[in-house]
């Protein structure tokens, strides 16, 4: 029995002598460990998303135990969620746990510009623990190149270019509307719609109208998914001059030749009345002839 105890004592001494460094490392591994919840230091503090898309704000909490995780919107201190329960009437907000990564994620659906700002991920320890994430919302710009009023000759080919810039994601679709009705390219000899992605943040949709007719006149609207729209007014001319059309719509001069008549009345103050009236009528007739 004594011999067995001696062998055991020698074995322990052997382990101590030859495994001293390993034992020291083991002690170091257990020194300074967290004894409760803590935030993963690799968790991001900035999220950038595009207007109209879904945003996901992650919060990695290790060793959570029986503590709760809340999401709070900093600008108004509104509690959005506590664990999986939502405490705001806006159903765009929802929190869920990805257990494999200990990540509580706040989902914001169909992001709006006003959603930008700081969000607090809070753990119910004493005192409270907080991790802040800033949500940045990028608002794409949309425009139809050219003037808001376009004038083209009947029978010509027209290209309407709708350009969307600062777009992190390509729109799911871009629809064109003519006076409220969606433009469909059933006849490729009459209409074509092309979609191109340029660079990392620009999308261009081109509506091509071949052999334009008077029926093609009207309002054309470019409408991407989850974004604002842009419009242009197309005028298909049958020989008339655009300037003449615009002058015809001008309500500031309802009486033809009125300005020339006023000139004549001004001349009457310093010339014989018959001469002044003759000058005014002559100018009015010339104006009408030129407008035709």
């Amino acid at each position: 029995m004594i011999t067995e105890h001696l062998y055991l004592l020698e074995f322990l001494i052997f382990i101590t002598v030859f495994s001293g460094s390993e034992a020291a490392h083991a002690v170091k591994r257990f020194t300074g460990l967290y004894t409760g919840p803590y935030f993963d230091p690799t968790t991001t503090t900035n999220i950038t998303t595009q207007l109209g898309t879904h945003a996901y704000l992650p919060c990695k909490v290790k060793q959570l135990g029986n503590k709760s995780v809340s999401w709070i919107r900093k600008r108004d201190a509104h509690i959005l969620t506590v664990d999986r329960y939502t405490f705001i009437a806006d159903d765009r907000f929802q929190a869920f746990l990805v257990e494999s990564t200990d990540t509580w994620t706040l989902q914001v659906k169909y992001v709006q510009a006003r959603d930008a700002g700081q969000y607090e991920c809070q753990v119910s320890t004493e005192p409270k623990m907080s991790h802040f994430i800033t949500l940045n919302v990028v608002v794409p710009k949309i425009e139809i190149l050219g003037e808001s009023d376009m004038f083209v000759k009947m029978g010509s080919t027209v290209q309407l270019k709708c350009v969307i810039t600062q777009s992190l994601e390509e729109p799911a679709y871009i629809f064109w509307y003519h006076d409220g009705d969606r433009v469909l390219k059933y006849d490729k000899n009459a209409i074509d719609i092309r979609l191109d992605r340029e660079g990392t943040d620009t999308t261009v949709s081109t509506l091509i109208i071949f052999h334009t007719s008077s029926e093609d006149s009207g309002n054309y609207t470019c409408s991407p998914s989850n974004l604002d729209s842009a419009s242009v007014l197309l005028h298909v001319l049958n020989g008339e001059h655009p300037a003449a059309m615009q002058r015809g719509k001008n309500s500031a001069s309802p009486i033809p030749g009125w300005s020339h008549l006023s000139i004549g009345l001004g001349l009457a103050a310093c010339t014989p009345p018959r001469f002044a009236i003759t000058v005014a009528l002559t100018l009015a007739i010339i104006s009408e002839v030129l407008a035709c």
Side-chain angles (χ1 to χ4, degrees):
M1 191 72 175
I2 296 174
T3 304
E4 291 178 357
H5 286 166
L6 290 174
Y7 283 144
L8 180 58
L9 182 59
E10 289 176 356
F11 177 75
L12 291 174
I13 293 172
F14 175 84
I15 292 297
T16 303
V17 172
F18 290 95
S19 303
S21 59
E22 287 80 357
H25 288 156
V27 172
K28 288 182 179 179
R29 284 200 300 271
F30 285 96
T31 300
L33 283 181
Y34 291 97
T35 57
Y38 67 96
F39 295 109
D40 188 322
T42 64
T43 302
T44 184
T45 58
N46 269 283
I47 294 292
T48 300
T49 192
Q50 181 175 304
L51 183 76
T53 61
H54 296 354
Y56 298 90
L57 282 60
C59 182
K60 290 186 178 182
V61 186
K62 302 291 187 180
Q63 299 178 184
L64 181 62
N66 62 352
K67 303 302 181 182
S68 295
V69 175
S70 304
W71 278 100
I72 302 169
R73 186 169 56 196
K74 189 175 180 183
R75 66 176 168 86
D76 56 3
H78 199 302
I79 298 175
L80 304 175
T81 63
V82 177
D83 293 337
R84 290 184 174 88
Y85 299 97
T86 303
F87 286 84
I88 187 171
D90 191 341
D91 59 5
R92 296 181 305 118
F93 293 90
Q94 178 187 0
F96 57 88
L97 171 64
V98 180
E99 294 186 6
S100 60
T101 59
D102 299 320
T103 303
W104 281 94
T105 300
L106 177 67
Q107 181 188 48
V108 186
K109 297 180 180 178
Y110 309 108
V111 171
Q112 303 171 6
R114 61 187 177 90
D115 293 328
Q118 272 198 331
Y119 292 80
E120 176 185 356
C121 174
Q122 187 183 94
V123 179
S124 62
T125 54
E126 286 297 337
K128 298 289 191 298
M129 297 170 50
S130 297
H131 175 75
F132 293 93
I133 296 182
T134 300
L135 176 62
N136 306 290
V137 180
V138 176
V139 181
K141 295 182 179 180
I142 177 172
E143 65 171 337
I144 297 177
L145 299 183
E147 301 294 332
S148 57
D149 281 82
M150 293 183 63
F151 298 88
V152 299
K153 292 182 180 180
M154 184 177 295
S156 62
T157 297
V158 176
Q159 291 191 18
L160 303 179
K161 283 186 176 289
C162 178
V163 181
I164 304 168
T165 56
Q166 299 181 14
S167 174
L168 302 179
E169 298 181 15
E170 187 174 354
Y173 60 82
I174 299 178
F175 291 155
W176 283 92
Y177 294 89
H178 176 211
D179 289 337
D181 296 325
R182 185 179 165 191
V183 178
L184 301 172
K185 51 179 183 178
Y186 289 134
D187 185 359
K188 286 197 173 183
N189 293 322
I191 288 177
D192 191 18
I193 299 176
R194 299 172 184 173
L195 186 64
D196 299 292
R197 184 72 172 173
E198 299 180 358
T200 59
D201 67 348
T202 302
T203 302
V204 180
S205 178
T206 305
L207 172 63
I208 305 174
I209 307 173
F210 303 101
H211 312 296
T212 53
S213 64
S214 57
E215 289 78 13
D216 295 319
S217 293
N219 180 282
Y220 285 84
T221 300
C222 170
S223 182
S225 59
N226 297 328
L227 295 176
D228 290 334
S229 58
S231 298
V232 65
L233 197 58
L234 180 66
H235 305 271
V236 180
L237 309 180
N238 185 16
E240 60 264 49
H241 193 277
M245 290 183 59
Q246 291 175 344
R247 181 162 53 247
K249 295 178 181 179
N250 187 356
S251 60
S253 300
I255 303 176
W258 173 256
S259 59
H260 305 296
L261 182 58
S262 62
I263 292 174
L265 293 176
L267 288 174
C270 55
T271 59
R274 181 177 299 179
F275 175 77
I277 293 173
T278 301
V279 171
L281 291 176
T282 301
L283 290 174
I285 293 171
I286 293 174
S287 176
E288 290 301 311
V289 171
L290 291 175
C292 296

